[in-house]
Amino acid sequence: MTECLFCKMVSGDIVPDVVFENEKVLAFRDINPQAPVHVLVIPRQHVETIDELDDSKLAGELLLGACSVARELGLSKGYRVAINCKAEGGQEVYHVHLHVLGGRQMTWPPG
Ligand code: AMP
Ligand code: ZN
């Protein structure tokens, strides 16, 4: 049995607030949103960090999934896609995910 939080969402053991899905990826609302829209896009397959993501097709599916989320949620004025990698990148959940943030003006640099 997996201990991975996001794998449990893929399997349905935990039911996330899904906004987009296809054969390869699942996108759901972040439980602690940092913007009016804050969605996580994950691969259905368990991959710990982007350092271990060696499947370019899957990487593309994740990015296109993020764009689909933005389109479906009406982020026509713009949005941010972020990936945190390992400790110094601020990664807390070790199952690759893209953050899609929108609905307010983003600032740069991120903290
Ligand atoms: P990161 O710091 O990049 O690993 O981001 C992990 C994200 O997962 C954070 O933004 C958390 O708020 C989010 N998160 C943690 N637990 C859950 C959950 N049960 N449902 C949805 N999002 C979650
Ligand atoms: Zn996982």
Side-chain angles (χ1 to χ4, degrees):
M1 205 178 86
T2 180
E3 293 302 313
C4 173
L5 176 65
F6 289 174
C7 280
K8 286 181 179 161
M9 294 184 175
V10 172
S11 69
D13 287 349
I14 297 174
V15 180
D17 184 358
V18 174
V19 297
F20 173 84
E21 63 183 313
N22 63 27
E23 194 189 324
K24 297 290 181 191
V25 309
L26 180 67
F28 53 87
R29 292 190 192 273
D30 196 293
I31 203 167
N32 182 24
Q34 302 301 309
V37 172
H38 187 172
V39 170
L40 303 176
V41 185
I42 70 169
R44 291 187 183 277
Q45 173 191 333
H46 181 83
V47 179
E48 291 205 344
T49 81
I50 53 164
D51 270 355
E52 282 85 37
L53 184 59
D54 57 7
D55 179 342
S56 58
K57 190 158 190 304
L58 183 56
E61 295 279 358
L62 287 164
L63 190 56
L64 292 180
C67 297
S68 296
V69 166
R71 203 162 34 245
E72 293 204 1
L73 296 183
L75 299 178
S76 57
K77 290 198 281 187
Y79 58 94
R80 176 167 293 164
V81 178
I83 304 173
N84 299 328
C85 183
K86 300 184 185 171
E88 284 202 4
Q91 185 172 4
E92 290 176 356
V93 178
Y94 279 71
H95 179 131
V96 166
H97 50 282
L98 281 60
H99 295 255
V100 180
L101 296 143
R104 66 165 169 82
Q105 180 62 52
M106 295 297 145
T107 58
W108 192 263

